[in-house]
Amino acid sequence: MTAQRTRAVHAGREDLVDLGVHAVPLDLSTTYPSRDSRGEAARLDVLGTGAQDCGPPVYGRVGNPTVARFERALAELEGCEAGVAFASGMAALSACLLAGVAAGRPHVVAIRPLYGTSDFLLGSGLLGTSVTWVAPDDVRAALRPDTGLVVVESPANPTLAEVDLRALADACGDVPLLVDNTFATPVLQRPVEHGAAIVLHSATKYLGGHGDVLGGIVACREDYARSLRQIRFATGAVLHPLSGYLLLRGLPTLPLRMHAASATAASLAARLAGHPGVTRVHYPRGLAGQMTSGGALVSIEVAGDPHEVIAAVRLFTPAVSLGSVDSLIQHPGSLSHHVLGEEALAEIGISEKLLRLSIGLEDVDDLWDDLDRALR
Ligand code: PLP
């Protein structure tokens, strides 16, 4: 079996030698000229069902060759049949929710915590879904005949809580389990190997890796991918081809970035546990066999004012988001989870004292010096 490092370099690029090019071709066309409009009508009949591979593209919203390469590459890395890319991670989640609504199963069972806006989208019912929030052990009891999806993040944003995906998948029975794998990436965790049916990413984070692309992607079976493509075709939240290009450019270094940043994060998590300015460190312990390392995020609860820490760092970038080459620090209560409001945050167990650190590729001692000084 090909190693993940090799796949990351070559996936989505299999035909480049035969094409006689080295860099991935970037196709910015919004439309695809043809003198055969009967043939185009026939292809649209096929593409409108969400099926693919029926000839040249017709229109940019229906399909794009550069984006299709990124979709193939990520599907291969996740060990799935298909990938469907979107304009953002939230657009990807929206399509999954709409697929449930369209299939007459609008009820969702979800495990907290989730990324703030994902929690808000589910809780608000904006897309016609309803949600039952449960602990992992209570998923089976919460399933109903109209449940279309079970949603979990592991590790979760922002507490890095881990859920046993195999046990959860067993509890889901026939209901598809959607795992948001943004934090682990397919380098550290492949949810389908633990029974998940659907893997979702905010590609904005580690897949892009340089803080300059907004995107989302779902890896899944081809039959589910068809329903997502049909929704994307009709609702229009497509990934821009330049973003597809940049995401493909990020993938070859994904394993190296993840391993390096994870090693630094594990070292910082251990040091932070002994820091007088830190009352609690959240870092994945690694459920047996699920993740190959703890990942590149560390969350801490601080003794002092978290806003003062944000203001005091000089090497860390004080910004929301994560997964870039530079280290980022943010206050979930003010940014990533602010939309939920103080009451819900307290209920979910997201402390006002919590800071989330996304560790990048800088030297570990330089990062430590910056944190140590800011925490004092
Ligand atoms: N899922 C997780 C775990 C996230 O952290 C985020 C964004 O921070 C999203 C989904 C949403 O992704 P996007 O910002 O690309 O819409």
Side-chain angles (χ1 to χ4, degrees):
M1 197 173 87
T2 313
Q4 202 67 325
R5 243 175 99 155
T6 307
R7 279 196 206 108
V9 173
H10 291 282
R13 293 167 157 86
E14 299 79 4
D15 56 339
L16 295 193
V17 171
D18 291 333
L19 287 175
V21 296
H22 193 205
V24 166
L26 167 57
D27 181 348
L28 291 169
S29 303
T30 54
T31 189
Y32 293 85
S34 167
R35 300 195 197 284
D36 175 19
S37 42
R38 282 192 199 86
E40 287 195 299
R43 288 210 300 287
L44 272 183
D45 283 341
V46 177
L47 292 166
T49 67
Q52 259 191 330
D53 293 332
C54 59
V58 177
Y59 183 62
R61 181 163 35 76
V62 189
N64 171 276
T66 308
V67 171
R69 285 179 187 278
F70 169 61
E71 294 176 329
R72 287 202 301 278
L74 197 276
E76 194 178 326
L77 286 172
E78 285 290 4
C80 292
E81 281 175 3
V84 186
F86 294 88
S88 69
M90 290 315 302
L93 180 59
S94 296
C96 295
L97 297 183
L98 289 173
V101 172
R105 292 193 300 276
H107 177 244
V108 178
V109 173
I111 296 167
R112 279 173 156 159
L114 296 176
Y115 165 56
T117 311
S118 303
D119 187 307
F120 172 77
L121 181 62
L122 286 167
S124 63
L126 271 178
L127 296 178
T129 55
S130 64
V131 65
T132 305
W133 299 108
V134 291
D137 288 346
D138 299 330
V139 164
R140 196 188 300 268
L143 298 177
R144 308 191 318 213
D146 67 339
T147 306
L149 212 52
V150 175
V151 175
V152 70
E153 286 176 13
S154 183
N157 190 352
T159 60
L160 308 178
E162 293 169 278
V163 174
D164 181 339
L165 297 179
R166 171 54 63 189
L168 188 58
D170 290 347
C172 290
D174 293 337
V175 178
L177 170 62
L178 182 155
V179 176
D180 184 327
N181 202 31
T182 299
F183 277 24
T185 82
V187 174
L188 304 184
Q189 172 174 276
R190 301 219 298 174
V192 291
E193 288 173 1
H194 308 289
I198 304 162
V199 184
L200 184 140
H201 285 273
S202 167
T204 315
K205 310 299 181 327
Y206 294 106
L207 303 186
H210 295 74
D212 55 6
V213 194
L214 208 60
I217 187 157
V218 178
C220 54
R221 285 194 352 211
E222 174 57 23
D223 55 349
Y224 190 71
R226 283 185 188 206
S227 63
L228 295 182
R229 286 189 210 107
Q230 191 179 45
I231 286 165
R232 185 181 61 179
F233 156 73
T235 58
V238 291
L239 183 71
H240 190 275
L242 179 57
S243 300
Y245 177 89
L246 289 170
L247 288 167
L248 271 165
R249 187 156 141 153
L251 286 186
T253 57
L254 180 67
L256 296 180
R257 286 186 281 110
M258 288 312 292
H259 291 311
S262 282
T264 306
S267 167
L268 289 175
R271 296 190 206 188
L272 285 162
H275 197 286
V278 175
T279 58
R280 188 170 172 194
V281 176
H282 300 259
Y283 188 69
R285 284 197 206 136
L287 286 170
Q290 196 165 287
M291 274 174 89
T292 53
S293 75
L297 286 140
V298 183
S299 291
I300 52 173
E301 289 172 36
V302 295
D305 182 345
H307 302 283
E308 294 299 328
V309 179
I310 302 255
V313 291
R314 287 296 172 266
L315 188 56
F316 273 79
T317 305
V320 74
S321 198
L322 57 114
S324 187
V325 285
D326 58 325
S327 295
L328 271 60
I329 184 167
Q330 67 108 16
H331 180 240
S334 302
L335 292 165
S336 62
H337 292 71
H338 187 68
V339 67
L340 297 179
E342 274 174 32
E343 210 172 296
L345 289 175
E347 224 177 273
I348 300 166
I350 299 174
S351 163
E352 171 60 19
K353 296 280 193 182
L354 191 76
L355 291 170
R356 193 191 69 197
L357 318 179
S358 164
I359 304 305
L361 300 180
E362 302 93 335
D363 180 81
V364 64
D365 292 324
D366 290 336
L367 291 173
W368 173 250
D369 289 346
D370 193 35
L371 280 178
D372 179 37
R373 205 186 32 74
L375 285 163
R376 285 171 199 275

